[in-house]
Amino acid sequence: MSQQPAPAARYRTRPTIVDAIRFDGTHASVLNVMHFVDAGRGTTEIRIRAAEKASGSSIEIPSPDGWVCIDAGDWLMRDANGRLARYSNTVFTADYEPLPDGEE
């Protein structure tokens, strides 16, 4: 007797709380990202590239998976495992919302 394949079903992502910061291309934003990335992890290097692209400034940040490149307007996210990931503003704001004050 063979089993019938399960029918398609709908899924949603589990609620996940992440830390994130938006890079806007300014010098102050570079410093804020540097503090965000270091956050007790001992990061000693961040690469800053000139604003030669239409998108403006970009920075590269070291991670265990290689260098993460973020452009002005992108979000840098750190998940519960400490992994860094880049998200465009469109994707980040579609997937995440600010946590209400006092909620962890």
Side-chain angles (χ1 to χ4, degrees):
M1 186 163 142
S2 66
Q3 289 185 331
Q4 295 292 321
R10 297 185 68 174
Y11 294 86
R12 65 175 176 209
T13 58
R14 293 184 175 119
T16 302
I17 297 173
V18 299
D19 295 317
I21 188 169
R22 188 167 186 206
F23 174 62
D24 66 12
T26 64
H27 180 70
S29 183
V30 170
L31 295 175
N32 289 337
V33 168
M34 288 174 70
H35 290 291
F36 175 81
V37 170
D38 193 43
R41 289 168 177 76
T43 300
T44 58
E45 182 180 8
I46 291 180
R47 298 177 185 169
I48 302 171
R49 295 187 297 182
E52 298 293 327
K53 303 185 316 185
S55 64
S57 299
S58 63
I59 57 178
E60 294 177 338
I61 299 156
S63 78
D65 300 320
W67 289 88
V68 176
C69 180
I70 59 174
D71 295 322
D74 289 345
W75 288 83
L76 181 64
M77 183 196 77
R78 182 175 42 241
D79 67 16
N81 297 319
R83 284 206 157 130
L84 296 173
R86 172 218 163 265
Y87 283 84
S88 69
N89 187 52
T90 303
V91 172
F92 185 84
T93 55
D95 290 347
Y96 295 93
E97 63 186 3
L99 217 63
D101 288 340
E103 192 174 323
E104 290 290 321

